[in-house]
Amino acid sequence: MAKSESEQVAVEESAGNAAPPDEAVVAGNGSGAAPTGGLGAAGSIRGVPMPAGAVNFGELTSAFVDGPRLLRYLGDRRHTGALVDAGGGTTQVAVLHEGNVVALVGASAGGTAARRLDKLSLPGPQAGDEHELTVLTYRPEVALALGQLVNLPERFERMHGSFVDLPALLAFLRREKANGAVRVSSGSDTGIVLIRGGEVLGAYTRQRPELEDAEVVYPLARDANAEIDVHVGALTLPPPSVSASSVV
């Protein structure tokens, strides 16, 4: 299903920060240009569930953990993964790649709609509202694909599942050596397929967050109300990002 990061980026590491030629796919804005600047502008987006990952530090709570200091700690340690803050009926997520934030997203309970954020509001030990804090570790290529899912505009959007053959769509993206993600939204669940160089890194749904093969998402695409969005673009290394200390 998924290749290791060492297999995926061997060419990139030998070329420094330049993306290899086969990574230069059509960008999400249709221009063929790589994304520039930092993160995508704050605003409403469709639901972006996060995959499961290795949990660091066990169960944490804002009753005794300072959220902003924790995020800065992860930045200083060049962490790759996510900090998930849940409380007060909302969830906030910072996706990190080597200590820098590549995506900020928040959602209310249910998570069918989300917002791309420019700041996090993380509680400290003195806050009255207690939140749960979870630190996840992801493979670097997974964090990069999540950043593209959150920040890139849709190349194809709201395609109805009744006329889209999802396996054929993934084969098309494989031929293009696309980078990013495909989202499948149905009335009951949301599924994500993460892609690097056209190959599937892993797929998951909100209800089944462990990374699996793309087949885990296929039943959602056959739902009568399914809609499919494609967020793909040129992969740049280092990726567009902001420092962890700047978002709290």
Side-chain angles (χ1 to χ4, degrees):
M1 174 187 67
K3 298 180 181 179
S4 70
E5 178 67 359
S6 59
E7 293 172 323
Q8 291 279 351
V9 301
V11 177
E12 295 159 34
E13 291 175 341
S14 66
N17 288 337
D22 65 356
E23 298 281 355
V25 300
V26 178
N29 60 11
S31 67
T36 58
L39 308 183
S44 297
I45 57 175
R46 305 195 79 181
V48 184
M50 291 290 143
V55 177
N56 293 257
F57 310 123
E59 297 181 2
L60 301 176
T61 170
S62 62
F64 56 83
V65 173
D66 187 310
R69 288 183 62 185
L70 174 59
L71 183 57
R72 289 192 288 268
Y73 171 88
L74 297 175
D76 292 341
R77 298 307 187 276
R78 298 178 62 83
H79 182 74
T80 295
L83 173 61
V84 181
D85 167 82
T90 64
T91 300
Q92 303 174 92
V93 181
V95 180
L96 299 103
H97 178 265
E98 296 186 355
N100 291 317
V101 175
V102 294
L104 289 173
V105 64
S108 58
T112 56
R115 284 192 61 82
R116 192 165 45 227
L117 306 174
D118 53 13
K119 293 280 186 180
L120 294 182
S121 178
L122 298 177
Q126 305 305 318
D129 188 17
E130 186 173 328
H131 289 208
E132 295 180 357
L133 299 165
T134 306
V135 177
L136 302 174
T137 295
Y138 295 144
R139 301 195 313 274
E141 62 268 29
V142 168
L144 291 173
L146 289 170
Q148 291 184 297
L149 170 63
V150 172
N151 293 306
L152 289 178
E154 295 92 340
R155 178 176 172 188
F156 306 115
E157 61 178 316
R158 295 183 181 272
M159 297 186 295
H160 202 280
S162 62
F163 63 78
V164 176
D165 183 325
L166 183 56
L169 173 61
L170 295 177
F172 168 78
L173 296 174
R174 184 180 304 114
R175 291 193 298 272
E176 288 205 335
K177 299 185 182 299
N179 303 282
V182 175
R183 179 197 296 108
V184 181
S185 305
S186 73
S188 59
D189 203 356
T190 299
I192 305 292
V193 182
L194 302 175
I195 302 169
R196 173 73 170 265
E199 299 299 326
V200 173
L201 294 170
Y204 63 99
T205 77
R206 190 184 307 280
Q207 296 178 13
R208 297 178 61 177
E210 296 289 342
L211 286 176
E212 302 182 37
D213 293 319
E215 285 80 358
V216 71
V217 175
Y218 290 176
L220 297 183
R222 295 192 290 267
D223 187 278
N225 298 312
E227 291 184 335
I228 300 172
D229 305 299
V230 178
H231 297 254
V232 294
L235 180 64
T236 60
L237 291 174
S241 64
V242 296
S243 69
S245 61
S246 71
V247 299
V248 290

